[in-house]
Every structure is written in C-alpha cells, then in structure tokens.
Amino acid sequence: MKKQFAAIDIAKWISALLVVCIHTYPFFEMSETFNLLWIAIVCRLAVPFFFVTSAYFLFKKFKDGESLHNKEVLFDYCMRVLKLYGIWTIIYLPYTLWDHLAVGISFSGILSYVRDLFLNGSYYHLWFLPALVVSSIIVWYCNEKFTMNKAIKITLGLYIFGYFMNVYAPIWQAVPGISFFYGFFIKIFGTARNGFFFGPVYMMLGYLLARTKRLPERTSLMAFGVSFVLLILEVLLYNAFGVLQDLSSMFLSLIPCTFFLVNYLLKVKVKEPEKYVHLRLESSLIYTSHILFAKILLRILPNAHFVVYFLTLCLAQLFAVLVVRYKDQFPILKHLM
C-alpha cells in the first residue's frame, strides 16, 4: 500500500499560515510583546518544518552506494527549485524596484541586492528557495565525504555559529571591537539565516528521517511536547534579557521540536488522505505569493495588522486555489509551484 503523507500536507498548509503571521504582525495593536512572542515561539516552527520535510522527500529518493544516481536526483531537485526561484524573482521585480526607489538607488544598494540574490533571497521571504539549494548541497556533500555522525556535527556547528550571530545580535552590536567583526559578517552575509548557517541542520534532520526508522508515535509526541516547552522557556529567557528581536529565529530548541514533530506526523494516518493533496501545492503558493498582497495592504491599513493578516490570508488562499484549479487548463501556472 502506498504511504500517505496527508498529515504532512495539512501541517505544511498550517505552516504557510504561520509564515504569513511573521510578515503581517497580526497581534501588533493588541500587544507588541505578545506579537513578538507568538511569532518567536509558534510561527518560527514553520520554516524549519519546510526544510525538514523538503529534505525528507529529497533524500528518500537516494539509494545506498549509488553516487551517480544520487547526484542526478540532487541536480534535478536544485534545478527545479532554482527555476521556481527565478520565476518568483521576476514576479517580485516591481516590488524590488519600489523598495530601492524609496530609499534611493545606490552602488552599495545594487551590491547588496546581488549578494542577497544568491544568499538571502531576491525578495525577503524568498530566501528559503536559494537556502534550500545551498543547504541540500552541503548536506549531500557532508554525507558523501564523511560519516553521518560527522555530518551531523558539521551542520550543527554551522547552526550554532549562526545562532550566536542571529540571537545575540544586540550584544555584538553594542560591544566595542566585536561590533566591527559583527558588522563585517553582516556586510558579507547580510544575515546568518541562510543556506549556510540556518538550513543545513534542518536538511540534515530530513536526511536522518529519510535514512532511519521512525520513532513510535507516542514517543515522538511526548518528545515534541518537552521540546516545545523548552522552546517557550528559551524564548522567554531571551526576551527577559532584552535580546529577542523581530529577526530572531535561530533558536536551539527548534531543532528537537522540528525533528520530533515531523517524526510524529510521518506516522500519523489521516482518513481519506486524497482530500488533502491539494494543500501541499497551496501551501507553497501561499508562501511565495502572500507578500504580493501584504505589502500593499500594510500601506493601506498600517494600523490594522490583524485585518491585514486576515485579508492577506484570504487573497493568498484564493490565489492558490485558482492556480491549483486551473493549472491543467493553463499549463503556464504549473511554473508557479
């Protein structure tokens, strides 16, 4: 019997809704602190989840001892993601020009855009796509050249370095001497949240899930619960020390949280799974398209963030439904997902 992934498809759709939260601040007027904590604790699970599940389905296609086959699988995957990235980069070009014209076009601005095009996304939410490519290559290379244990250590080491750069940014910016080196890092990379530091450890988790046996459902669910409590405590600690920011995203507890959550969902059976297949495509479309609507709505309704969130969600969902419904009638739409 063919394995079903309806629980993963449902979770992907929910994750897309959480990503929309990150970019629209729905509870901002209610409480800035609650909005910050909601995004840091709940919404920050979304992107790691996308990384882990993407890696799981990629590395599930790999075969032991067949290096050439694995390279072809990886190459096809990277080309597919880069094609999608290129299409959405073109779609967002008017927004890119709008942003650059608003601050004034400069040589340094052009250099930053070129850097971001390769490292951090041609538009801010699109960073996930080039990061998928870079991190998948890193994980493939590490597992090709080293043992799995060493590959885990390398990707975890990259994440921990990025964690210090991301979470403790306010400290590095304030310490004389260190601020120079931190500023140099930012000039080069823009952020640690990219395919070099953020993505590899989550892609490695997906690799582990694809190449090893699943934990029992009950064990995974309990471990996720414990990890989520640790995530709450971790974020509250950063907030208490005044280092938690809007861009803080590389929390240590996210690693076990995501691993055990995906482990659990891979074991869950959903009745009539065929009903949820469309959510897989819709989640991708909501992720890539929602800024098209959020950007304009935030300009029109700058003091109504919850309304902006709701309207953005409705428009992105409608867009996703229409693309999925008419993709066979208009094959060009297939290039959007």
PDB file of all heavy atoms in Angstrom, residues 83-116:
ATOM      1  N   LYS A  83      14.611  27.181 -10.701  1.00  0.00           N
ATOM      2  CA  LYS A  83      13.657  27.652 -11.700  1.00  0.00           C
ATOM      3  C   LYS A  83      12.491  28.373 -11.024  1.00  0.00           C
ATOM      4  O   LYS A  83      12.073  29.461 -11.455  1.00  0.00           O
ATOM      5  CB  LYS A  83      13.138  26.465 -12.520  1.00  0.00           C
ATOM      6  CG  LYS A  83      12.095  26.845 -13.566  1.00  0.00           C
ATOM      7  CD  LYS A  83      11.557  25.603 -14.264  1.00  0.00           C
ATOM      8  CE  LYS A  83      10.421  25.969 -15.216  1.00  0.00           C
ATOM      9  NZ  LYS A  83       9.836  24.758 -15.863  1.00  0.00           N
ATOM     10  N   LEU A  84      11.977  27.767  -9.955  1.00  0.00           N
ATOM     11  CA  LEU A  84      10.891  28.389  -9.198  1.00  0.00           C
ATOM     12  C   LEU A  84      11.345  29.728  -8.620  1.00  0.00           C
ATOM     13  O   LEU A  84      10.607  30.721  -8.665  1.00  0.00           O
ATOM     14  CB  LEU A  84      10.459  27.447  -8.068  1.00  0.00           C
ATOM     15  CG  LEU A  84       9.272  27.884  -7.206  1.00  0.00           C
ATOM     16  CD1 LEU A  84       7.989  27.928  -8.037  1.00  0.00           C
ATOM     17  CD2 LEU A  84       9.098  26.938  -6.014  1.00  0.00           C
ATOM     18  N   TYR A  85      12.563  29.746  -8.097  1.00  0.00           N
ATOM     19  CA  TYR A  85      13.132  30.972  -7.524  1.00  0.00           C
ATOM     20  C   TYR A  85      13.251  32.062  -8.588  1.00  0.00           C
ATOM     21  O   TYR A  85      12.925  33.229  -8.345  1.00  0.00           O
ATOM     22  CB  TYR A  85      14.499  30.647  -6.926  1.00  0.00           C
ATOM     23  CG  TYR A  85      15.227  31.825  -6.334  1.00  0.00           C
ATOM     24  CD1 TYR A  85      14.612  32.687  -5.432  1.00  0.00           C
ATOM     25  CD2 TYR A  85      16.566  32.072  -6.661  1.00  0.00           C
ATOM     26  CE1 TYR A  85      15.301  33.749  -4.873  1.00  0.00           C
ATOM     27  CE2 TYR A  85      17.259  33.131  -6.110  1.00  0.00           C
ATOM     28  CZ  TYR A  85      16.617  33.975  -5.219  1.00  0.00           C
ATOM     29  OH  TYR A  85      17.296  35.036  -4.677  1.00  0.00           O
ATOM     30  N   GLY A  86      13.704  31.685  -9.768  1.00  0.00           N
ATOM     31  CA  GLY A  86      13.843  32.655 -10.860  1.00  0.00           C
ATOM     32  C   GLY A  86      12.511  33.253 -11.280  1.00  0.00           C
ATOM     33  O   GLY A  86      12.411  34.472 -11.512  1.00  0.00           O
ATOM     34  N   ILE A  87      11.490  32.423 -11.349  1.00  0.00           N
ATOM     35  CA  ILE A  87      10.160  32.897 -11.758  1.00  0.00           C
ATOM     36  C   ILE A  87       9.609  33.886 -10.743  1.00  0.00           C
ATOM     37  O   ILE A  87       9.114  34.962 -11.100  1.00  0.00           O
ATOM     38  CB  ILE A  87       9.198  31.698 -11.933  1.00  0.00           C
ATOM     39  CG1 ILE A  87       9.595  30.903 -13.186  1.00  0.00           C
ATOM     40  CG2 ILE A  87       7.742  32.171 -12.027  1.00  0.00           C
ATOM     41  CD1 ILE A  87       8.901  29.574 -13.324  1.00  0.00           C
ATOM     42  N   TRP A  88       9.712  33.542  -9.449  1.00  0.00           N
ATOM     43  CA  TRP A  88       9.170  34.437  -8.422  1.00  0.00           C
ATOM     44  C   TRP A  88      10.035  35.689  -8.239  1.00  0.00           C
ATOM     45  O   TRP A  88       9.529  36.748  -7.850  1.00  0.00           O
ATOM     46  CB  TRP A  88       8.999  33.687  -7.106  1.00  0.00           C
ATOM     47  CG  TRP A  88       7.744  32.874  -7.127  1.00  0.00           C
ATOM     48  CD1 TRP A  88       7.634  31.533  -7.344  1.00  0.00           C
ATOM     49  CD2 TRP A  88       6.409  33.358  -6.970  1.00  0.00           C
ATOM     50  NE1 TRP A  88       6.321  31.138  -7.324  1.00  0.00           N
ATOM     51  CE2 TRP A  88       5.541  32.235  -7.090  1.00  0.00           C
ATOM     52  CE3 TRP A  88       5.849  34.608  -6.732  1.00  0.00           C
ATOM     53  CZ2 TRP A  88       4.152  32.351  -6.992  1.00  0.00           C
ATOM     54  CZ3 TRP A  88       4.474  34.721  -6.626  1.00  0.00           C
ATOM     55  CH2 TRP A  88       3.640  33.612  -6.757  1.00  0.00           C
ATOM     56  N   THR A  89      11.319  35.584  -8.570  1.00  0.00           N
ATOM     57  CA  THR A  89      12.180  36.770  -8.564  1.00  0.00           C
ATOM     58  C   THR A  89      11.690  37.778  -9.600  1.00  0.00           C
ATOM     59  O   THR A  89      11.625  38.985  -9.329  1.00  0.00           O
ATOM     60  CB  THR A  89      13.638  36.374  -8.862  1.00  0.00           C
ATOM     61  OG1 THR A  89      14.139  35.580  -7.772  1.00  0.00           O
ATOM     62  CG2 THR A  89      14.521  37.610  -9.023  1.00  0.00           C
ATOM     63  N   ILE A  90      11.316  37.282 -10.755  1.00  0.00           N
ATOM     64  CA  ILE A  90      10.793  38.155 -11.817  1.00  0.00           C
ATOM     65  C   ILE A  90       9.451  38.753 -11.404  1.00  0.00           C
ATOM     66  O   ILE A  90       9.189  39.940 -11.616  1.00  0.00           O
ATOM     67  CB  ILE A  90      10.659  37.363 -13.140  1.00  0.00           C
ATOM     68  CG1 ILE A  90      12.046  36.969 -13.657  1.00  0.00           C
ATOM     69  CG2 ILE A  90       9.907  38.179 -14.181  1.00  0.00           C
ATOM     70  CD1 ILE A  90      12.023  35.984 -14.808  1.00  0.00           C
ATOM     71  N   ILE A  91       8.601  37.925 -10.808  1.00  0.00           N
ATOM     72  CA  ILE A  91       7.285  38.405 -10.369  1.00  0.00           C
ATOM     73  C   ILE A  91       7.426  39.548  -9.361  1.00  0.00           C
ATOM     74  O   ILE A  91       6.666  40.520  -9.385  1.00  0.00           O
ATOM     75  CB  ILE A  91       6.460  37.246  -9.768  1.00  0.00           C
ATOM     76  CG1 ILE A  91       6.060  36.261 -10.870  1.00  0.00           C
ATOM     77  CG2 ILE A  91       5.214  37.776  -9.033  1.00  0.00           C
ATOM     78  CD1 ILE A  91       5.414  34.985 -10.365  1.00  0.00           C
ATOM     79  N   TYR A  92       8.432  39.446  -8.486  1.00  0.00           N
ATOM     80  CA  TYR A  92       8.614  40.461  -7.442  1.00  0.00           C
ATOM     81  C   TYR A  92       9.494  41.633  -7.874  1.00  0.00           C
ATOM     82  O   TYR A  92       9.764  42.523  -7.052  1.00  0.00           O
ATOM     83  CB  TYR A  92       9.188  39.821  -6.182  1.00  0.00           C
ATOM     84  CG  TYR A  92       8.127  39.189  -5.304  1.00  0.00           C
ATOM     85  CD1 TYR A  92       7.850  37.830  -5.371  1.00  0.00           C
ATOM     86  CD2 TYR A  92       7.376  39.956  -4.424  1.00  0.00           C
ATOM     87  CE1 TYR A  92       6.865  37.252  -4.578  1.00  0.00           C
ATOM     88  CE2 TYR A  92       6.388  39.392  -3.631  1.00  0.00           C
ATOM     89  CZ  TYR A  92       6.138  38.043  -3.713  1.00  0.00           C
ATOM     90  OH  TYR A  92       5.156  37.477  -2.936  1.00  0.00           O
ATOM     91  N   LEU A  93       9.924  41.663  -9.124  1.00  0.00           N
ATOM     92  CA  LEU A  93      10.777  42.766  -9.585  1.00  0.00           C
ATOM     93  C   LEU A  93      10.141  44.146  -9.381  1.00  0.00           C
ATOM     94  O   LEU A  93      10.834  45.086  -8.950  1.00  0.00           O
ATOM     95  CB  LEU A  93      11.156  42.576 -11.059  1.00  0.00           C
ATOM     96  CG  LEU A  93      12.419  41.757 -11.327  1.00  0.00           C
ATOM     97  CD1 LEU A  93      12.663  41.633 -12.817  1.00  0.00           C
ATOM     98  CD2 LEU A  93      13.633  42.390 -10.631  1.00  0.00           C
ATOM     99  N   PRO A  94       8.843  44.334  -9.680  1.00  0.00           N
ATOM    100  CA  PRO A  94       8.241  45.657  -9.407  1.00  0.00           C
ATOM    101  C   PRO A  94       8.340  46.060  -7.938  1.00  0.00           C
ATOM    102  O   PRO A  94       8.593  47.226  -7.621  1.00  0.00           O
ATOM    103  CB  PRO A  94       6.776  45.462  -9.826  1.00  0.00           C
ATOM    104  CG  PRO A  94       6.808  44.369 -10.835  1.00  0.00           C
ATOM    105  CD  PRO A  94       7.887  43.441 -10.365  1.00  0.00           C
ATOM    106  N   TYR A  95       8.173  45.109  -7.036  1.00  0.00           N
ATOM    107  CA  TYR A  95       8.293  45.393  -5.606  1.00  0.00           C
ATOM    108  C   TYR A  95       9.743  45.720  -5.247  1.00  0.00           C
ATOM    109  O   TYR A  95      10.013  46.598  -4.407  1.00  0.00           O
ATOM    110  CB  TYR A  95       7.809  44.193  -4.784  1.00  0.00           C
ATOM    111  CG  TYR A  95       6.316  44.045  -4.734  1.00  0.00           C
ATOM    112  CD1 TYR A  95       5.586  43.693  -5.872  1.00  0.00           C
ATOM    113  CD2 TYR A  95       5.618  44.242  -3.551  1.00  0.00           C
ATOM    114  CE1 TYR A  95       4.211  43.553  -5.832  1.00  0.00           C
ATOM    115  CE2 TYR A  95       4.234  44.105  -3.497  1.00  0.00           C
ATOM    116  CZ  TYR A  95       3.550  43.761  -4.640  1.00  0.00           C
ATOM    117  OH  TYR A  95       2.182  43.621  -4.593  1.00  0.00           O
ATOM    118  N   THR A  96      10.678  45.005  -5.872  1.00  0.00           N
ATOM    119  CA  THR A  96      12.096  45.257  -5.629  1.00  0.00           C
ATOM    120  C   THR A  96      12.462  46.678  -6.052  1.00  0.00           C
ATOM    121  O   THR A  96      13.140  47.405  -5.311  1.00  0.00           O
ATOM    122  CB  THR A  96      12.957  44.243  -6.408  1.00  0.00           C
ATOM    123  OG1 THR A  96      12.584  42.911  -6.026  1.00  0.00           O
ATOM    124  CG2 THR A  96      14.437  44.451  -6.122  1.00  0.00           C
ATOM    125  N   LEU A  97      12.011  47.065  -7.240  1.00  0.00           N
ATOM    126  CA  LEU A  97      12.278  48.422  -7.725  1.00  0.00           C
ATOM    127  C   LEU A  97      11.613  49.456  -6.826  1.00  0.00           C
ATOM    128  O   LEU A  97      12.207  50.508  -6.537  1.00  0.00           O
ATOM    129  CB  LEU A  97      11.777  48.566  -9.168  1.00  0.00           C
ATOM    130  CG  LEU A  97      12.565  47.776 -10.225  1.00  0.00           C
ATOM    131  CD1 LEU A  97      11.851  47.829 -11.570  1.00  0.00           C
ATOM    132  CD2 LEU A  97      13.974  48.345 -10.353  1.00  0.00           C
ATOM    133  N   TRP A  98      10.407  49.168  -6.392  1.00  0.00           N
ATOM    134  CA  TRP A  98       9.665  50.061  -5.494  1.00  0.00           C
ATOM    135  C   TRP A  98      10.478  50.319  -4.222  1.00  0.00           C
ATOM    136  O   TRP A  98      10.653  51.467  -3.798  1.00  0.00           O
ATOM    137  CB  TRP A  98       8.321  49.412  -5.170  1.00  0.00           C
ATOM    138  CG  TRP A  98       7.445  50.144  -4.194  1.00  0.00           C
ATOM    139  CD1 TRP A  98       7.613  51.415  -3.704  1.00  0.00           C
ATOM    140  CD2 TRP A  98       6.256  49.636  -3.575  1.00  0.00           C
ATOM    141  NE1 TRP A  98       6.604  51.734  -2.829  1.00  0.00           N
ATOM    142  CE2 TRP A  98       5.765  50.663  -2.736  1.00  0.00           C
ATOM    143  CE3 TRP A  98       5.563  48.438  -3.650  1.00  0.00           C
ATOM    144  CZ2 TRP A  98       4.603  50.503  -1.969  1.00  0.00           C
ATOM    145  CZ3 TRP A  98       4.422  48.281  -2.894  1.00  0.00           C
ATOM    146  CH2 TRP A  98       3.942  49.305  -2.070  1.00  0.00           C
ATOM    147  N   ASP A  99      11.004  49.251  -3.631  1.00  0.00           N
ATOM    148  CA  ASP A  99      11.779  49.381  -2.400  1.00  0.00           C
ATOM    149  C   ASP A  99      13.071  50.168  -2.611  1.00  0.00           C
ATOM    150  O   ASP A  99      13.449  51.010  -1.791  1.00  0.00           O
ATOM    151  CB  ASP A  99      12.116  48.000  -1.834  1.00  0.00           C
ATOM    152  CG  ASP A  99      10.883  47.289  -1.289  1.00  0.00           C
ATOM    153  OD1 ASP A  99       9.833  47.939  -1.137  1.00  0.00           O
ATOM    154  OD2 ASP A  99      10.966  46.067  -1.051  1.00  0.00           O
ATOM    155  N   HIS A 100      13.754  49.882  -3.723  1.00  0.00           N
ATOM    156  CA  HIS A 100      15.025  50.554  -3.981  1.00  0.00           C
ATOM    157  C   HIS A 100      14.825  52.027  -4.324  1.00  0.00           C
ATOM    158  O   HIS A 100      15.624  52.882  -3.912  1.00  0.00           O
ATOM    159  CB  HIS A 100      15.774  49.833  -5.103  1.00  0.00           C
ATOM    160  CG  HIS A 100      16.487  48.591  -4.647  1.00  0.00           C
ATOM    161  ND1 HIS A 100      17.789  48.589  -4.221  1.00  0.00           N
ATOM    162  CD2 HIS A 100      16.059  47.317  -4.523  1.00  0.00           C
ATOM    163  CE1 HIS A 100      18.149  47.365  -3.870  1.00  0.00           C
ATOM    164  NE2 HIS A 100      17.105  46.570  -4.052  1.00  0.00           N
ATOM    165  N   LEU A 101      13.773  52.324  -5.048  1.00  0.00           N
ATOM    166  CA  LEU A 101      13.491  53.721  -5.377  1.00  0.00           C
ATOM    167  C   LEU A 101      13.094  54.510  -4.137  1.00  0.00           C
ATOM    168  O   LEU A 101      13.369  55.717  -4.036  1.00  0.00           O
ATOM    169  CB  LEU A 101      12.378  53.801  -6.434  1.00  0.00           C
ATOM    170  CG  LEU A 101      12.770  53.372  -7.858  1.00  0.00           C
ATOM    171  CD1 LEU A 101      11.537  53.294  -8.748  1.00  0.00           C
ATOM    172  CD2 LEU A 101      13.794  54.331  -8.451  1.00  0.00           C
ATOM    173  N   ALA A 102      12.447  53.835  -3.185  1.00  0.00           N
ATOM    174  CA  ALA A 102      12.001  54.510  -1.960  1.00  0.00           C
ATOM    175  C   ALA A 102      13.172  55.024  -1.132  1.00  0.00           C
ATOM    176  O   ALA A 102      13.079  56.068  -0.482  1.00  0.00           O
ATOM    177  CB  ALA A 102      11.142  53.562  -1.124  1.00  0.00           C
ATOM    178  N   VAL A 103      14.294  54.286  -1.140  1.00  0.00           N
ATOM    179  CA  VAL A 103      15.467  54.704  -0.365  1.00  0.00           C
ATOM    180  C   VAL A 103      16.546  55.345  -1.231  1.00  0.00           C
ATOM    181  O   VAL A 103      17.517  55.910  -0.729  1.00  0.00           O
ATOM    182  CB  VAL A 103      16.071  53.503   0.404  1.00  0.00           C
ATOM    183  CG1 VAL A 103      15.066  52.939   1.381  1.00  0.00           C
ATOM    184  CG2 VAL A 103      16.536  52.412  -0.561  1.00  0.00           C
ATOM    185  N   GLY A 104      16.337  55.269  -2.548  1.00  0.00           N
ATOM    186  CA  GLY A 104      17.317  55.828  -3.473  1.00  0.00           C
ATOM    187  C   GLY A 104      18.279  54.761  -3.963  1.00  0.00           C
ATOM    188  O   GLY A 104      18.877  54.033  -3.164  1.00  0.00           O
ATOM    189  N   ILE A 105      18.413  54.647  -5.277  1.00  0.00           N
ATOM    190  CA  ILE A 105      19.293  53.640  -5.867  1.00  0.00           C
ATOM    191  C   ILE A 105      20.745  54.077  -5.712  1.00  0.00           C
ATOM    192  O   ILE A 105      21.112  55.202  -6.028  1.00  0.00           O
ATOM    193  CB  ILE A 105      18.945  53.424  -7.357  1.00  0.00           C
ATOM    194  CG1 ILE A 105      17.536  52.832  -7.483  1.00  0.00           C
ATOM    195  CG2 ILE A 105      19.964  52.490  -8.013  1.00  0.00           C
ATOM    196  CD1 ILE A 105      17.065  52.644  -8.904  1.00  0.00           C
ATOM    197  N   SER A 106      21.562  53.172  -5.182  1.00  0.00           N
ATOM    198  CA  SER A 106      22.980  53.459  -4.972  1.00  0.00           C
ATOM    199  C   SER A 106      23.808  52.244  -5.359  1.00  0.00           C
ATOM    200  O   SER A 106      23.282  51.125  -5.501  1.00  0.00           O
ATOM    201  CB  SER A 106      23.243  53.812  -3.507  1.00  0.00           C
ATOM    202  OG  SER A 106      22.942  52.712  -2.671  1.00  0.00           O
ATOM    203  N   PHE A 107      25.119  52.455  -5.501  1.00  0.00           N
ATOM    204  CA  PHE A 107      26.006  51.352  -5.868  1.00  0.00           C
ATOM    205  C   PHE A 107      26.024  50.289  -4.770  1.00  0.00           C
ATOM    206  O   PHE A 107      25.982  49.090  -5.062  1.00  0.00           O
ATOM    207  CB  PHE A 107      27.421  51.884  -6.106  1.00  0.00           C
ATOM    208  CG  PHE A 107      28.401  50.812  -6.528  1.00  0.00           C
ATOM    209  CD1 PHE A 107      28.287  50.193  -7.766  1.00  0.00           C
ATOM    210  CD2 PHE A 107      29.426  50.422  -5.673  1.00  0.00           C
ATOM    211  CE1 PHE A 107      29.179  49.199  -8.161  1.00  0.00           C
ATOM    212  CE2 PHE A 107      30.321  49.432  -6.055  1.00  0.00           C
ATOM    213  CZ  PHE A 107      30.206  48.827  -7.295  1.00  0.00           C
ATOM    214  N   SER A 108      26.051  50.749  -3.500  1.00  0.00           N
ATOM    215  CA  SER A 108      26.057  49.800  -2.385  1.00  0.00           C
ATOM    216  C   SER A 108      24.743  49.022  -2.325  1.00  0.00           C
ATOM    217  O   SER A 108      24.718  47.838  -1.981  1.00  0.00           O
ATOM    218  CB  SER A 108      26.281  50.531  -1.059  1.00  0.00           C
ATOM    219  OG  SER A 108      25.245  51.464  -0.816  1.00  0.00           O
ATOM    220  N   GLY A 109      23.641  49.701  -2.676  1.00  0.00           N
ATOM    221  CA  GLY A 109      22.351  49.032  -2.711  1.00  0.00           C
ATOM    222  C   GLY A 109      22.300  47.946  -3.772  1.00  0.00           C
ATOM    223  O   GLY A 109      21.730  46.871  -3.556  1.00  0.00           O
ATOM    224  N   ILE A 110      22.914  48.221  -4.925  1.00  0.00           N
ATOM    225  CA  ILE A 110      22.964  47.235  -6.017  1.00  0.00           C
ATOM    226  C   ILE A 110      23.811  46.036  -5.590  1.00  0.00           C
ATOM    227  O   ILE A 110      23.447  44.878  -5.827  1.00  0.00           O
ATOM    228  CB  ILE A 110      23.523  47.874  -7.302  1.00  0.00           C
ATOM    229  CG1 ILE A 110      22.544  48.928  -7.828  1.00  0.00           C
ATOM    230  CG2 ILE A 110      23.775  46.810  -8.368  1.00  0.00           C
ATOM    231  CD1 ILE A 110      23.076  49.760  -8.976  1.00  0.00           C
ATOM    232  N   LEU A 111      24.962  46.312  -4.929  1.00  0.00           N
ATOM    233  CA  LEU A 111      25.825  45.222  -4.453  1.00  0.00           C
ATOM    234  C   LEU A 111      25.099  44.358  -3.428  1.00  0.00           C
ATOM    235  O   LEU A 111      25.214  43.127  -3.437  1.00  0.00           O
ATOM    236  CB  LEU A 111      27.099  45.797  -3.838  1.00  0.00           C
ATOM    237  CG  LEU A 111      28.152  46.346  -4.797  1.00  0.00           C
ATOM    238  CD1 LEU A 111      29.351  46.887  -4.021  1.00  0.00           C
ATOM    239  CD2 LEU A 111      28.610  45.275  -5.788  1.00  0.00           C
ATOM    240  N   SER A 112      24.334  45.011  -2.537  1.00  0.00           N
ATOM    241  CA  SER A 112      23.566  44.268  -1.531  1.00  0.00           C
ATOM    242  C   SER A 112      22.528  43.380  -2.190  1.00  0.00           C
ATOM    243  O   SER A 112      22.290  42.245  -1.760  1.00  0.00           O
ATOM    244  CB  SER A 112      22.884  45.235  -0.562  1.00  0.00           C
ATOM    245  OG  SER A 112      23.833  45.936   0.201  1.00  0.00           O
ATOM    246  N   TYR A 113      21.896  43.896  -3.254  1.00  0.00           N
ATOM    247  CA  TYR A 113      20.885  43.098  -3.952  1.00  0.00           C
ATOM    248  C   TYR A 113      21.516  41.871  -4.620  1.00  0.00           C
ATOM    249  O   TYR A 113      20.960  40.769  -4.563  1.00  0.00           O
ATOM    250  CB  TYR A 113      20.153  43.937  -4.997  1.00  0.00           C
ATOM    251  CG  TYR A 113      19.138  43.131  -5.778  1.00  0.00           C
ATOM    252  CD1 TYR A 113      17.923  42.768  -5.208  1.00  0.00           C
ATOM    253  CD2 TYR A 113      19.403  42.705  -7.084  1.00  0.00           C
ATOM    254  CE1 TYR A 113      17.000  42.003  -5.905  1.00  0.00           C
ATOM    255  CE2 TYR A 113      18.492  41.939  -7.783  1.00  0.00           C
ATOM    256  CZ  TYR A 113      17.287  41.596  -7.192  1.00  0.00           C
ATOM    257  OH  TYR A 113      16.377  40.833  -7.889  1.00  0.00           O
ATOM    258  N   VAL A 114      22.678  42.079  -5.237  1.00  0.00           N
ATOM    259  CA  VAL A 114      23.371  40.958  -5.881  1.00  0.00           C
ATOM    260  C   VAL A 114      23.746  39.907  -4.838  1.00  0.00           C
ATOM    261  O   VAL A 114      23.573  38.701  -5.061  1.00  0.00           O
ATOM    262  CB  VAL A 114      24.629  41.457  -6.630  1.00  0.00           C
ATOM    263  CG1 VAL A 114      25.443  40.272  -7.149  1.00  0.00           C
ATOM    264  CG2 VAL A 114      24.222  42.366  -7.785  1.00  0.00           C
ATOM    265  N   ARG A 115      24.255  40.373  -3.681  1.00  0.00           N
ATOM    266  CA  ARG A 115      24.580  39.444  -2.600  1.00  0.00           C
ATOM    267  C   ARG A 115      23.336  38.670  -2.157  1.00  0.00           C
ATOM    268  O   ARG A 115      23.365  37.443  -2.028  1.00  0.00           O
ATOM    269  CB  ARG A 115      25.162  40.214  -1.420  1.00  0.00           C
ATOM    270  CG  ARG A 115      25.446  39.376  -0.177  1.00  0.00           C
ATOM    271  CD  ARG A 115      25.491  40.243   1.076  1.00  0.00           C
ATOM    272  NE  ARG A 115      24.196  40.863   1.349  1.00  0.00           N
ATOM    273  CZ  ARG A 115      24.018  41.883   2.179  1.00  0.00           C
ATOM    274  NH1 ARG A 115      25.040  42.419   2.807  1.00  0.00           N
ATOM    275  NH2 ARG A 115      22.799  42.385   2.372  1.00  0.00           N
ATOM    276  N   ASP A 116      22.253  39.407  -1.929  1.00  0.00           N
ATOM    277  CA  ASP A 116      21.026  38.775  -1.456  1.00  0.00           C
ATOM    278  C   ASP A 116      20.428  37.827  -2.491  1.00  0.00           C
ATOM    279  O   ASP A 116      19.782  36.844  -2.136  1.00  0.00           O
ATOM    280  CB  ASP A 116      19.998  39.838  -1.072  1.00  0.00           C
ATOM    281  CG  ASP A 116      20.406  40.615   0.169  1.00  0.00           C
ATOM    282  OD1 ASP A 116      21.281  40.122   0.905  1.00  0.00           O
ATOM    283  OD2 ASP A 116      19.871  41.714   0.392  1.00  0.00           O
TER     284      ASP A 116
END
